[in-house]
Amino acid sequence: MIALINLISAWAVPAMLLVIPLIGLSRKVPVYESFVQGAKEGFATAVRIIPYLVAMFVAIRVFQNTGMMQILIGLLSPWASRIGIPVEVIPLALIRPLSGSGALGTLAAILKAHEPDSLIGLIASTMQGSTETTFYVLTVYFGAVGIRNIRHCLSASLFSDLAGFLAATYVAYLVFGSM
């Protein structure tokens, strides 16, 4: 089975690079011209969202470097402890909506300090897979199409992140440990 999966993995992208143009040619689509037009539109989109990305990255660095993250951890720790969320995973819950790479680094630090198979490591890993980088997604997708008013989408997304963190903790306790 593993050999089959490895074979599929090795040939999936080359097969797509061959099959997609062949399908386009069979349907009389100008494949090369369509590709160039798509690349041009993609570049224009990338240029259009750069200011949003820069603003988001600056906000993340300010959040981390001003000590605001530590203040929030201190404020949330008593509440989180009461409902069974380990204090050690709060930094992940705070950084995950902001930055995927920051969350991955935070997860790596948690796993290094507490071992991947520890309950804290399992809760953190479940949280990482149960939530989204909300601000990055909103920045890229809404910035790409020029939407500026994200108020309701932002609040719904952050509520979903909170639900994901709580559910991840509950499921990790349910599957891997006791509450």
Side-chain angles (χ1 to χ4, degrees), residues 102-163:
L104 197 55
T106 303
L107 175 64
I110 292 170
L111 295 179
K112 186 175 182 182
H114 298 282
E115 300 295 321
D117 292 331
S118 69
L119 186 57
I120 290 172
L122 293 167
I123 290 171
S125 297
T126 307
M127 282 183 170
Q128 178 77 7
S130 301
T131 56
E132 186 56 77
T133 53
T134 298
F135 287 96
Y136 179 80
V137 169
L138 292 177
T139 298
V140 170
Y141 295 132
F142 282 70
V145 295
I147 296 173
R148 297 192 192 286
N149 187 0
I150 61 168
R151 183 183 54 171
H152 297 297
C153 188
L154 177 62
S155 58
S157 298
L158 291 175
F159 182 76
S160 296
D161 283 334
L162 177 62

Side-chain angles (χ1 to χ4, degrees), residues 83-86 119 123 168-179:
I83 63 170
I85 298 175
L119 186 57
I123 290 171
T169 302
Y170 175 74
V171 168
Y173 273 116
L174 188 67
V175 173
F176 304 115
S178 61
M179 287 186 101

